[in-house]
Amino acid sequence: MTIDELIAGTSVAELEDDPYPLYARSNVGSFVALLGYPLVVERTLGVGDLVCGELDTISNDTYVPTGDIDRFEFSVAATLRAVLQLDWVEAGDYDLWLESHGAPIDSSHGPAYVPPEAIQRQLSANDDYVVQVDGWAGAPGTWTVTLE
């Protein structure tokens, strides 16, 4: 069964109540469920696309985050200068990391409890990228990453 078959005919409200609360939404409004770890977007992301999730716990051991860590993989169809922007509502310090070819290539992890965190960089066509969202301190809650 494909992801499209899995969620065909499912309303947005039903998806929001799903026990696996991580989805990708294209800028035309369709949802794609993300399953597994790292979570994989089974399509290429384009400008305006949004991925959302929830951090259930936020903590650190002074050196690294030790709470919930959400990851997803994606690619872009054409090389572009892009901004990945992480937004959240709760009073917390959320961080954004970008990896390619198994290595970290950029991050945004300021000490502020105020969103957004953002990474601006060139993304190459058909390369695979992994985004990691984690929380350093504060309240757990939902987040979104937008490709702009």
Side-chain angles (χ1 to χ4, degrees), residues 108-122:
S108 180
H109 51 90
Y113 275 58
V114 179
E117 296 283 3
I119 295 171
Q120 181 178 5
R121 70 175 300 116
Q122 184 97 356

Side-chain angles (χ1 to χ4, degrees), residues 44-49 74-84 98 119-127 129 146-148:
T44 302
L45 290 180
V47 173
D49 284 354
F74 73 98
S75 62
V76 293
T79 298
L80 70 143
R81 185 81 178 156
V83 176
L84 288 166
L98 182 64
I119 295 171
Q120 181 178 5
R121 70 175 300 116
Q122 184 97 356
L123 300 178
S124 299
N126 300 315
D127 272 0
Y129 295 95
T146 307
L147 180 66
E148 300 175 347

Side-chain angles (χ1 to χ4, degrees), residues 4-89:
D4 290 335
E5 291 169 335
L6 179 68
I7 63 170
T10 305
S11 73
V12 172
E14 289 171 313
L15 288 174
E16 289 173 346
D17 290 337
D18 192 288
Y20 303 100
L22 191 56
Y23 299 94
R25 179 178 61 82
S26 77
N27 56 357
V28 294
S30 63
F31 282 76
V32 178
L34 304 173
L35 307 171
Y37 188 83
L39 300 161
V40 178
V41 176
E42 295 196 353
R43 66 180 176 80
T44 302
L45 290 180
V47 173
D49 284 354
L50 170 87
V51 178
C52 56
E54 181 173 11
L55 295 177
D56 296 324
T57 60
I58 292 179
S59 59
N60 70 78
D61 69 358
T62 307
Y63 303 104
V64 296
T66 56
D68 189 12
I69 296 174
D70 290 342
R71 296 168 57 92
F72 65 91
E73 184 177 335
F74 73 98
S75 62
V76 293
T79 298
L80 70 143
R81 185 81 178 156
V83 176
L84 288 166
Q85 182 169 307
L86 169 64
D87 288 292
W88 65 95
V89 175

Side-chain angles (χ1 to χ4, degrees), residues 87-109:
D87 288 292
W88 65 95
V89 175
E90 291 75 11
D93 178 8
Y94 290 37
D95 300 323
L96 178 65
W97 304 84
L98 182 64
E99 301 173 9
S100 182
H101 303 285
I105 59 172
D106 212 337
S107 64
S108 180
H109 51 90

